Amino acid sequence: MLIFNILIFILSCLVLVKSANFLIKAITKISAAFQINEFTLAFIVVTLATSIPELFIGVFSALDKIPTLSLGNVIGSNIVALSLIIGLSAVLARGIKTESRIIKDNTLYLVLISFLPLILSLDRNLSRLDGVTLIIFFLIYLFKLYRERRAFHKVVSSVTKKTVNKQILILMISLVCLLISSNFLVKSGLNITAIVGFKPIWFGILIIAIGTSLPELIFQTKAALRDHGDMALGNMMGSVVANITLILGITVLIQPIYFENFYSYILSLSFMILVVVIFDILMQTKNKLSWKEGIVLIFIYIIFVIFQLFFNVTI
């Protein structure tokens, strides 16, 4: 039974990642047909597209009355994004350049956003009202970015209108595949945690987070290698904000979270906040995230994994 569920989980991850990649490509080409600028593509369009796997995981885990699985996925995905993914991208691209002051300013907003789940859960639960609050902060973030859009002038290369219908069809098929694979991923993940004895939040933090973060890794690396530093960092920061606010907000709207082991959650969340602060410090120092700093970020993720493995065993 365990081996069967592991195989289903791995297959679901593969389908989820592949369909997410097709989804991102389709949305990018559809958006390019309307001559949008790089800002809109990176901060809004691709951010929402790459966050769809986390959204589906959140919805299905909430419907299955295990919202902590989604919470773990949110925390884990953000740590993966700001340490492992950005670190790998910086190493492979020999550094990620950014010339926009707005990118740096938004890292400060990212730090403030990362404290939201901690503040809202001081009463040892995340209620539906907290979910509404999180979604409101996401809308505020979008409005803030919209007002700053004039700082980004580069326009994404256009595609012919003829390809739009084809891409819309690919988009719809990709969404269906994402929906099905997310459902199987959650079901098999829950079965694995029950058999092995893992906590759902821990499984979400370490295992599911890697699977749902692969679309961001692919987009981030390609953008960095093509010298689109603002696009790469913009997408990653937008995904982190979307996870904390929109994804978590929708999850607790469906099923509020009541913490059985509050201190376990606080420790994992505190590590996420620490990673966000370190990322902010690195971004504020200069106009480039060097490959050496990328190695530091990767090392931070390794420390996090070791910490989680030890912590899960000892509590």
Side-chain angles (χ1 to χ4, degrees):
M1 181 63 74
L2 176 60
I3 295 177
F4 175 76
N5 280 286
I6 291 175
L7 289 175
I8 293 296
F9 180 83
I10 294 173
L11 180 61
S12 298
C13 278
L14 292 175
V15 174
L16 182 142
V17 171
K18 197 65 178 177
S19 53
N21 288 336
F22 277 114
L23 179 73
I24 294 170
K25 290 178 182 178
I27 290 179
T28 301
K29 290 181 180 179
I30 292 170
S31 302
F34 296 95
Q35 293 287 291
I36 66 171
N37 60 27
E38 186 173 286
F39 158 78
T40 308
L41 179 64
F43 280 83
I44 300 177
V45 178
V46 176
T47 288
L48 294 176
T50 54
S51 296
I52 287 177
E54 285 88 352
L55 174 61
F56 283 171
I57 296 298
V59 170
F60 283 115
S61 64
L63 292 174
D64 285 334
K65 309 294 184 184
I66 313 289
T68 52
L69 186 70
S70 175
L71 176 63
N73 185 34
V74 165
I75 295 174
S77 294
N78 288 347
I79 293 173
V80 169
L82 295 177
S83 57
L84 182 63
I85 294 179
I86 286 186
L88 285 173
S89 300
V91 171
L92 293 174
R94 304 298 292 180
I96 302 176
K97 297 179 181 178
T98 175
E99 300 176 356
S100 173
R101 181 66 218 174
I102 291 178
I103 292 286
K104 294 186 176 182
D105 291 342
N106 276 295
T107 61
L108 295 174
Y109 189 80
L110 182 61
V111 172
L112 297 176
I113 286 289
S114 67
F115 278 92
L116 264 181
L118 178 63
I119 296 171
L120 294 175
S121 61
L122 289 178
D123 56 355
R124 300 198 174 210
N125 72 84
L126 286 172
S127 65
R128 288 190 172 91
L129 179 59
D130 294 330
V132 172
T133 302
L134 290 169
I135 293 173
I136 289 174
F137 271 91
F138 176 73
L139 296 176
I140 292 173
Y141 179 70
L142 284 186
F143 178 72
K144 178 177 180 295
L145 293 179
Y146 178 77
R147 292 186 61 183
E148 296 167 345
R149 72 192 185 281
R150 296 185 185 279
F152 297 80
H153 303 294
K154 185 184 289 186
V155 175
V156 180
S157 299
S158 63
V159 297
T160 61
K161 302 283 185 178
K162 191 176 181 180
T163 64
V164 172
N165 290 336
K166 176 184 175 183
Q167 297 304 320
I168 290 176
L169 178 61
I170 293 175
L171 183 148
M172 298 302 294
I173 295 174
S174 299
L175 281 175
V176 172
C177 291
L178 272 169
L179 188 68
I180 295 173
S181 60
S182 297
N183 188 24
F184 276 102
L185 189 146
V186 170
K187 298 288 187 184
S188 59
L190 291 177
N191 290 335
I192 293 171
T193 59
I195 295 171
V196 180
F198 290 155
K199 298 176 179 66
I201 188 171
W202 182 89
F203 193 76
I205 286 174
L206 284 185
I207 310 300
I208 296 181
I210 289 291
T212 57
S213 296
L214 288 177
E216 282 97 335
L217 173 60
I218 294 170
F219 179 85
Q220 172 91 4
T221 303
K222 287 182 178 179
L225 289 172
R226 293 171 182 172
D227 201 27
H228 292 284
D230 289 342
M231 178 181 284
L233 294 172
N235 168 64
M236 192 55 60
M237 291 163 55
S239 294
V240 171
V241 171
N243 286 340
I244 296 174
T245 55
L246 180 65
I247 308 304
L248 187 56
I250 291 175
T251 300
V252 298
L253 272 179
I254 299 173
Q255 180 65 42
I257 299 175
Y258 301 93
F259 299 104
E260 295 180 3
N261 194 326
F262 185 65
Y263 296 106
S264 172
Y265 158 72
I266 288 297
L267 283 173
S268 297
L269 186 61
S270 297
F271 201 101
M272 183 193 79
I273 295 173
L274 176 63
V275 171
V276 172
V277 171
I278 292 173
F279 173 73
D280 175 62
I281 292 173
L282 293 177
M283 290 304 303
Q284 296 296 332
T285 53
K286 48 190 175 181
N287 293 329
K288 181 179 180 180
L289 188 69
S290 70
W291 66 269
K292 292 181 181 179
E293 291 170 333
I295 292 177
V296 171
L297 290 173
I298 294 172
F299 184 69
I300 289 173
Y301 179 73
I302 294 173
I303 293 175
F304 167 71
V305 171
I306 294 173
F307 167 79
Q308 282 295 328
L309 289 172
F310 175 77
F311 190 67
N312 184 69
V313 172
T314 56
I315 63 173

